[in-house]
PDB file of all heavy atoms in Angstrom:
ATOM      1  N   LEU G   1      16.666 -17.046  12.304  1.00 90.00           N
ATOM      2  CA  LEU G   1      16.650 -16.551  10.918  1.00 90.00           C
ATOM      3  C   LEU G   1      15.234 -16.542  10.359  1.00 90.00           C
ATOM      4  O   LEU G   1      14.837 -15.591   9.663  1.00 90.00           O
ATOM      5  CB  LEU G   1      17.563 -17.417  10.042  1.00 90.00           C
ATOM      6  CG  LEU G   1      19.066 -17.299  10.310  1.00 90.00           C
ATOM      7  CD1 LEU G   1      19.835 -18.320   9.475  1.00 90.00           C
ATOM      8  CD2 LEU G   1      19.550 -15.880   9.980  1.00 90.00           C
ATOM      9  N   LEU G   2      14.476 -17.607  10.665  1.00 88.00           N
ATOM     10  CA  LEU G   2      13.088 -17.643  10.209  1.00 88.00           C
ATOM     11  C   LEU G   2      12.268 -16.526  10.844  1.00 88.00           C
ATOM     12  O   LEU G   2      11.402 -15.924  10.190  1.00 88.00           O
ATOM     13  CB  LEU G   2      12.466 -19.001  10.532  1.00 88.00           C
ATOM     14  CG  LEU G   2      13.029 -20.203   9.767  1.00 88.00           C
ATOM     15  CD1 LEU G   2      12.358 -21.488  10.238  1.00 88.00           C
ATOM     16  CD2 LEU G   2      12.829 -20.024   8.272  1.00 88.00           C
ATOM     17  N   ALA G   3      12.530 -16.232  12.101  1.00 89.00           N
ATOM     18  CA  ALA G   3      11.839 -15.129  12.774  1.00 89.00           C
ATOM     19  C   ALA G   3      12.175 -13.804  12.105  1.00 89.00           C
ATOM     20  O   ALA G   3      11.302 -12.925  11.957  1.00 89.00           O
ATOM     21  CB  ALA G   3      12.217 -15.094  14.250  1.00 89.00           C
ATOM     22  N   ALA G   4      13.437 -13.653  11.687  1.00 92.00           N
ATOM     23  CA  ALA G   4      13.835 -12.433  10.987  1.00 92.00           C
ATOM     24  C   ALA G   4      13.102 -12.319   9.651  1.00 92.00           C
ATOM     25  O   ALA G   4      12.677 -11.221   9.255  1.00 92.00           O
ATOM     26  CB  ALA G   4      15.350 -12.433  10.764  1.00 92.00           C
ATOM     27  N   VAL G   5      12.949 -13.461   8.961  1.00 92.00           N
ATOM     28  CA  VAL G   5      12.199 -13.453   7.700  1.00 92.00           C
ATOM     29  C   VAL G   5      10.754 -13.024   7.940  1.00 92.00           C
ATOM     30  O   VAL G   5      10.193 -12.210   7.194  1.00 92.00           O
ATOM     31  CB  VAL G   5      12.245 -14.844   7.032  1.00 92.00           C
ATOM     32  CG1 VAL G   5      11.287 -14.903   5.847  1.00 92.00           C
ATOM     33  CG2 VAL G   5      13.658 -15.172   6.579  1.00 92.00           C
ATOM     34  N   VAL G   6      10.138 -13.562   8.987  1.00 92.00           N
ATOM     35  CA  VAL G   6       8.762 -13.189   9.320  1.00 92.00           C
ATOM     36  C   VAL G   6       8.667 -11.688   9.582  1.00 92.00           C
ATOM     37  O   VAL G   6       7.734 -11.017   9.099  1.00 92.00           O
ATOM     38  CB  VAL G   6       8.260 -13.976  10.548  1.00 92.00           C
ATOM     39  CG1 VAL G   6       6.925 -13.416  11.049  1.00 92.00           C
ATOM     40  CG2 VAL G   6       8.109 -15.450  10.204  1.00 92.00           C
ATOM     41  N   ALA G   7       9.624 -11.154  10.319  1.00 93.00           N
ATOM     42  CA  ALA G   7       9.622  -9.717  10.612  1.00 93.00           C
ATOM     43  C   ALA G   7       9.754  -8.890   9.344  1.00 93.00           C
ATOM     44  O   ALA G   7       9.030  -7.901   9.145  1.00 93.00           O
ATOM     45  CB  ALA G   7      10.748  -9.385  11.589  1.00 93.00           C
ATOM     46  N   LEU G   8      10.668  -9.294   8.465  1.00 93.00           N
ATOM     47  CA  LEU G   8      10.869  -8.548   7.214  1.00 93.00           C
ATOM     48  C   LEU G   8       9.639  -8.607   6.321  1.00 93.00           C
ATOM     49  O   LEU G   8       9.231  -7.601   5.733  1.00 93.00           O
ATOM     50  CB  LEU G   8      12.090  -9.112   6.470  1.00 93.00           C
ATOM     51  CG  LEU G   8      13.460  -8.814   7.090  1.00 93.00           C
ATOM     52  CD1 LEU G   8      14.556  -9.582   6.350  1.00 93.00           C
ATOM     53  CD2 LEU G   8      13.745  -7.316   7.045  1.00 93.00           C
ATOM     54  N   VAL G   9       9.046  -9.790   6.226  1.00 91.00           N
ATOM     55  CA  VAL G   9       7.848  -9.952   5.405  1.00 91.00           C
ATOM     56  C   VAL G   9       6.704  -9.094   5.945  1.00 91.00           C
ATOM     57  O   VAL G   9       5.970  -8.454   5.183  1.00 91.00           O
ATOM     58  CB  VAL G   9       7.432 -11.437   5.354  1.00 91.00           C
ATOM     59  CG1 VAL G   9       6.017 -11.591   4.790  1.00 91.00           C
ATOM     60  CG2 VAL G   9       8.412 -12.231   4.511  1.00 91.00           C
ATOM     61  N   THR G  10       6.572  -9.065   7.265  1.00 92.00           N
ATOM     62  CA  THR G  10       5.506  -8.274   7.876  1.00 92.00           C
ATOM     63  C   THR G  10       5.696  -6.797   7.602  1.00 92.00           C
ATOM     64  O   THR G  10       4.743  -6.082   7.245  1.00 92.00           O
ATOM     65  CB  THR G  10       5.462  -8.523   9.391  1.00 92.00           C
ATOM     66  OG1 THR G  10       5.360  -9.920   9.649  1.00 92.00           O
ATOM     67  CG2 THR G  10       4.283  -7.810  10.021  1.00 92.00           C
ATOM     68  N   VAL G  11       6.910  -6.317   7.755  1.00 93.00           N
ATOM     69  CA  VAL G  11       7.196  -4.905   7.490  1.00 93.00           C
ATOM     70  C   VAL G  11       6.951  -4.577   6.024  1.00 93.00           C
ATOM     71  O   VAL G  11       6.334  -3.557   5.686  1.00 93.00           O
ATOM     72  CB  VAL G  11       8.645  -4.565   7.885  1.00 93.00           C
ATOM     73  CG1 VAL G  11       9.016  -3.170   7.409  1.00 93.00           C
ATOM     74  CG2 VAL G  11       8.821  -4.679   9.398  1.00 93.00           C
ATOM     75  N   ALA G  12       7.433  -5.451   5.124  1.00 90.00           N
ATOM     76  CA  ALA G  12       7.251  -5.216   3.693  1.00 90.00           C
ATOM     77  C   ALA G  12       5.779  -5.197   3.311  1.00 90.00           C
ATOM     78  O   ALA G  12       5.336  -4.374   2.496  1.00 90.00           O
ATOM     79  CB  ALA G  12       7.993  -6.280   2.891  1.00 90.00           C
ATOM     80  N   ALA G  13       5.013  -6.109   3.907  1.00 89.00           N
ATOM     81  CA  ALA G  13       3.582  -6.189   3.588  1.00 89.00           C
ATOM     82  C   ALA G  13       2.811  -4.997   4.137  1.00 89.00           C
ATOM     83  O   ALA G  13       1.726  -4.675   3.642  1.00 89.00           O
ATOM     84  CB  ALA G  13       2.993  -7.478   4.139  1.00 89.00           C
ATOM     85  N   ALA G  14       3.355  -4.344   5.161  1.00 91.00           N
ATOM     86  CA  ALA G  14       2.663  -3.217   5.782  1.00 91.00           C
ATOM     87  C   ALA G  14       2.852  -1.919   5.020  1.00 91.00           C
ATOM     88  O   ALA G  14       2.137  -0.931   5.271  1.00 91.00           O
ATOM     89  CB  ALA G  14       3.143  -3.041   7.225  1.00 91.00           C
ATOM     90  N   VAL G  15       3.805  -1.878   4.080  1.00 92.00           N
ATOM     91  CA  VAL G  15       4.051  -0.643   3.324  1.00 92.00           C
ATOM     92  C   VAL G  15       2.866  -0.382   2.396  1.00 92.00           C
ATOM     93  O   VAL G  15       2.548  -1.210   1.548  1.00 92.00           O
ATOM     94  CB  VAL G  15       5.353  -0.754   2.495  1.00 92.00           C
ATOM     95  CG1 VAL G  15       5.539   0.491   1.643  1.00 92.00           C
ATOM     96  CG2 VAL G  15       6.545  -0.957   3.417  1.00 92.00           C
ATOM     97  N   PRO G  16       2.201   0.756   2.544  1.00 93.00           N
ATOM     98  CA  PRO G  16       0.989   1.004   1.740  1.00 93.00           C
ATOM     99  C   PRO G  16       1.318   1.400   0.311  1.00 93.00           C
ATOM    100  O   PRO G  16       2.421   1.860   0.008  1.00 93.00           O
ATOM    101  CB  PRO G  16       0.321   2.163   2.488  1.00 93.00           C
ATOM    102  CG  PRO G  16       1.468   2.907   3.109  1.00 93.00           C
ATOM    103  CD  PRO G  16       2.481   1.856   3.481  1.00 93.00           C
ATOM    104  N   ALA G  17       0.351   1.217  -0.561  1.00 93.00           N
ATOM    105  CA  ALA G  17       0.481   1.700  -1.934  1.00 93.00           C
ATOM    106  C   ALA G  17       0.234   3.210  -1.953  1.00 93.00           C
ATOM    107  O   ALA G  17      -0.420   3.765  -1.065  1.00 93.00           O
ATOM    108  CB  ALA G  17      -0.526   0.996  -2.833  1.00 93.00           C
ATOM    109  N   ARG G  18       0.749   3.867  -2.961  1.00 94.00           N
ATOM    110  CA  ARG G  18       0.537   5.314  -3.110  1.00 94.00           C
ATOM    111  C   ARG G  18       0.623   5.661  -4.586  1.00 94.00           C
ATOM    112  O   ARG G  18       1.194   4.921  -5.385  1.00 94.00           O
ATOM    113  CB  ARG G  18       1.586   6.105  -2.328  1.00 94.00           C
ATOM    114  CG  ARG G  18       3.004   5.830  -2.785  1.00 94.00           C
ATOM    115  CD  ARG G  18       4.034   6.588  -1.976  1.00 94.00           C
ATOM    116  NE  ARG G  18       5.395   6.275  -2.415  1.00 94.00           N
ATOM    117  CZ  ARG G  18       5.998   6.817  -3.459  1.00 94.00           C
ATOM    118  NH1 ARG G  18       5.344   7.725  -4.184  1.00 94.00           N
ATOM    119  NH2 ARG G  18       7.222   6.470  -3.808  1.00 94.00           N
ATOM    120  N   THR G  19       0.051   6.770  -4.929  1.00 94.00           N
ATOM    121  CA  THR G  19       0.167   7.263  -6.298  1.00 94.00           C
ATOM    122  C   THR G  19       0.617   8.711  -6.265  1.00 94.00           C
ATOM    123  O   THR G  19       0.219   9.481  -5.372  1.00 94.00           O
ATOM    124  CB  THR G  19      -1.159   7.106  -7.067  1.00 94.00           C
ATOM    125  OG1 THR G  19      -0.941   7.352  -8.453  1.00 94.00           O
ATOM    126  CG2 THR G  19      -2.245   8.014  -6.534  1.00 94.00           C
ATOM    127  N   VAL G  20       1.466   9.072  -7.178  1.00 93.00           N
ATOM    128  CA  VAL G  20       2.075  10.403  -7.195  1.00 93.00           C
ATOM    129  C   VAL G  20       0.988  11.458  -7.369  1.00 93.00           C
ATOM    130  O   VAL G  20       0.117  11.327  -8.247  1.00 93.00           O
ATOM    131  CB  VAL G  20       3.101  10.512  -8.342  1.00 93.00           C
ATOM    132  CG1 VAL G  20       3.711  11.906  -8.382  1.00 93.00           C
ATOM    133  CG2 VAL G  20       4.188   9.459  -8.177  1.00 93.00           C
ATOM    134  N   PRO G  21       0.996  12.532  -6.558  1.00 94.00           N
ATOM    135  CA  PRO G  21      -0.028  13.582  -6.683  1.00 94.00           C
ATOM    136  C   PRO G  21       0.009  14.256  -8.051  1.00 94.00           C
ATOM    137  O   PRO G  21       1.050  14.356  -8.693  1.00 94.00           O
ATOM    138  CB  PRO G  21       0.348  14.563  -5.567  1.00 94.00           C
ATOM    139  CG  PRO G  21       1.180  13.781  -4.613  1.00 94.00           C
ATOM    140  CD  PRO G  21       1.919  12.772  -5.436  1.00 94.00           C
ATOM    141  N   VAL G  22      -1.144  14.715  -8.487  1.00 94.00           N
ATOM    142  CA  VAL G  22      -1.263  15.524  -9.696  1.00 94.00           C
ATOM    143  C   VAL G  22      -1.620  16.938  -9.251  1.00 94.00           C
ATOM    144  O   VAL G  22      -2.729  17.158  -8.759  1.00 94.00           O
ATOM    145  CB  VAL G  22      -2.347  14.974 -10.639  1.00 94.00           C
ATOM    146  CG1 VAL G  22      -2.495  15.876 -11.865  1.00 94.00           C
ATOM    147  CG2 VAL G  22      -2.022  13.546 -11.066  1.00 94.00           C
ATOM    148  N   PRO G  23      -0.707  17.894  -9.378  1.00 92.00           N
ATOM    149  CA  PRO G  23      -0.983  19.259  -8.897  1.00 92.00           C
ATOM    150  C   PRO G  23      -2.271  19.824  -9.488  1.00 92.00           C
ATOM    151  O   PRO G  23      -2.452  19.852 -10.709  1.00 92.00           O
ATOM    152  CB  PRO G  23       0.241  20.048  -9.392  1.00 92.00           C
ATOM    153  CG  PRO G  23       1.322  19.024  -9.516  1.00 92.00           C
ATOM    154  CD  PRO G  23       0.630  17.765  -9.974  1.00 92.00           C
ATOM    155  N   GLY G  24      -3.179  20.215  -8.614  1.00 93.00           N
ATOM    156  CA  GLY G  24      -4.430  20.805  -9.056  1.00 93.00           C
ATOM    157  C   GLY G  24      -5.451  19.808  -9.561  1.00 93.00           C
ATOM    158  O   GLY G  24      -6.580  20.185  -9.892  1.00 93.00           O
ATOM    159  N   GLY G  25      -5.070  18.545  -9.637  1.00 96.00           N
ATOM    160  CA  GLY G  25      -5.978  17.532 -10.178  1.00 96.00           C
ATOM    161  C   GLY G  25      -6.336  16.490  -9.142  1.00 96.00           C
ATOM    162  O   GLY G  25      -6.426  16.774  -7.942  1.00 96.00           O
ATOM    163  N   ILE G  26      -6.489  15.269  -9.591  1.00 97.00           N
ATOM    164  CA  ILE G  26      -6.857  14.167  -8.713  1.00 97.00           C
ATOM    165  C   ILE G  26      -5.890  13.008  -8.911  1.00 97.00           C
ATOM    166  O   ILE G  26      -5.516  12.676 -10.038  1.00 97.00           O
ATOM    167  CB  ILE G  26      -8.309  13.708  -8.975  1.00 97.00           C
ATOM    168  CG1 ILE G  26      -8.713  12.609  -7.992  1.00 97.00           C
ATOM    169  CG2 ILE G  26      -8.494  13.249 -10.421  1.00 97.00           C
ATOM    170  CD1 ILE G  26     -10.194  12.273  -8.052  1.00 97.00           C
ATOM    171  N   ALA G  27      -5.454  12.418  -7.818  1.00 97.00           N
ATOM    172  CA  ALA G  27      -4.589  11.240  -7.836  1.00 97.00           C
ATOM    173  C   ALA G  27      -4.946  10.419  -6.602  1.00 97.00           C
ATOM    174  O   ALA G  27      -4.598  10.796  -5.484  1.00 97.00           O
ATOM    175  CB  ALA G  27      -3.123  11.630  -7.823  1.00 97.00           C
ATOM    176  N   GLU G  28      -5.613   9.319  -6.800  1.00 96.00           N
ATOM    177  CA  GLU G  28      -6.222   8.626  -5.664  1.00 96.00           C
ATOM    178  C   GLU G  28      -6.316   7.130  -5.906  1.00 96.00           C
ATOM    179  O   GLU G  28      -6.644   6.692  -7.015  1.00 96.00           O
ATOM    180  CB  GLU G  28      -7.630   9.211  -5.480  1.00 96.00           C
ATOM    181  CG  GLU G  28      -8.335   8.840  -4.219  1.00 96.00           C
ATOM    182  CD  GLU G  28      -9.664   9.567  -4.128  1.00 96.00           C
ATOM    183  OE1 GLU G  28      -9.679  10.823  -4.151  1.00 96.00           O
ATOM    184  OE2 GLU G  28     -10.704   8.867  -4.080  1.00 96.00           O
ATOM    185  N   LEU G  29      -6.027   6.364  -4.877  1.00 96.00           N
ATOM    186  CA  LEU G  29      -6.292   4.928  -4.875  1.00 96.00           C
ATOM    187  C   LEU G  29      -7.472   4.706  -3.940  1.00 96.00           C
ATOM    188  O   LEU G  29      -7.385   4.994  -2.743  1.00 96.00           O
ATOM    189  CB  LEU G  29      -5.069   4.154  -4.381  1.00 96.00           C
ATOM    190  CG  LEU G  29      -3.803   4.259  -5.232  1.00 96.00           C
ATOM    191  CD1 LEU G  29      -2.635   3.558  -4.543  1.00 96.00           C
ATOM    192  CD2 LEU G  29      -4.030   3.685  -6.625  1.00 96.00           C
ATOM    193  N   THR G  30      -8.562   4.208  -4.468  1.00 95.00           N
ATOM    194  CA  THR G  30      -9.776   4.111  -3.675  1.00 95.00           C
ATOM    195  C   THR G  30     -10.458   2.770  -3.952  1.00 95.00           C
ATOM    196  O   THR G  30      -9.924   1.924  -4.660  1.00 95.00           O
ATOM    197  CB  THR G  30     -10.732   5.286  -3.995  1.00 95.00           C
ATOM    198  OG1 THR G  30     -11.856   5.246  -3.136  1.00 95.00           O
ATOM    199  CG2 THR G  30     -11.182   5.249  -5.444  1.00 95.00           C
ATOM    200  N   THR G  31     -11.625   2.588  -3.373  1.00 95.00           N
ATOM    201  CA  THR G  31     -12.413   1.378  -3.619  1.00 95.00           C
ATOM    202  C   THR G  31     -13.851   1.780  -3.929  1.00 95.00           C
ATOM    203  O   THR G  31     -14.326   2.852  -3.525  1.00 95.00           O
ATOM    204  CB  THR G  31     -12.402   0.427  -2.413  1.00 95.00           C
ATOM    205  OG1 THR G  31     -12.924   1.102  -1.258  1.00 95.00           O
ATOM    206  CG2 THR G  31     -10.996  -0.062  -2.124  1.00 95.00           C
ATOM    207  N   VAL G  32     -14.529   0.897  -4.635  1.00 96.00           N
ATOM    208  CA  VAL G  32     -15.936   1.080  -4.975  1.00 96.00           C
ATOM    209  C   VAL G  32     -16.673  -0.193  -4.592  1.00 96.00           C
ATOM    210  O   VAL G  32     -16.191  -1.293  -4.860  1.00 96.00           O
ATOM    211  CB  VAL G  32     -16.121   1.364  -6.481  1.00 96.00           C
ATOM    212  CG1 VAL G  32     -17.603   1.457  -6.832  1.00 96.00           C
ATOM    213  CG2 VAL G  32     -15.403   2.642  -6.879  1.00 96.00           C
ATOM    214  N   ARG G  33     -17.833  -0.030  -4.012  1.00 93.00           N
ATOM    215  CA  ARG G  33     -18.600  -1.196  -3.589  1.00 93.00           C
ATOM    216  C   ARG G  33     -19.504  -1.666  -4.720  1.00 93.00           C
ATOM    217  O   ARG G  33     -20.209  -0.873  -5.349  1.00 93.00           O
ATOM    218  CB  ARG G  33     -19.437  -0.863  -2.356  1.00 93.00           C
ATOM    219  CG  ARG G  33     -20.001  -2.109  -1.672  1.00 93.00           C
ATOM    220  CD  ARG G  33     -20.365  -1.821  -0.228  1.00 93.00           C
ATOM    221  NE  ARG G  33     -20.657  -3.056   0.493  1.00 93.00           N
ATOM    222  CZ  ARG G  33     -19.740  -3.823   1.055  1.00 93.00           C
ATOM    223  NH1 ARG G  33     -18.470  -3.479   0.982  1.00 93.00           N
ATOM    224  NH2 ARG G  33     -20.079  -4.927   1.692  1.00 93.00           N
ATOM    225  N   SER G  34     -19.471  -2.975  -4.970  1.00 92.00           N
ATOM    226  CA  SER G  34     -20.376  -3.607  -5.927  1.00 92.00           C
ATOM    227  C   SER G  34     -21.022  -4.785  -5.211  1.00 92.00           C
ATOM    228  O   SER G  34     -20.379  -5.806  -4.962  1.00 92.00           O
ATOM    229  CB  SER G  34     -19.606  -4.103  -7.155  1.00 92.00           C
ATOM    230  OG  SER G  34     -20.463  -4.818  -8.038  1.00 92.00           O
ATOM    231  N   GLY G  35     -22.273  -4.624  -4.842  1.00 88.00           N
ATOM    232  CA  GLY G  35     -22.935  -5.640  -4.028  1.00 88.00           C
ATOM    233  C   GLY G  35     -22.247  -5.745  -2.684  1.00 88.00           C
ATOM    234  O   GLY G  35     -22.102  -4.755  -1.965  1.00 88.00           O
TER     235      GLY G  35
END
């Protein structure tokens, strides 16, 4: 059961974030470097 929990947690953590597209515009999740 604990192994199943580990598997579920791993799968859940692997799901990426996303943002709904804006037709003709910009919709993006990105990063910016500071130092």
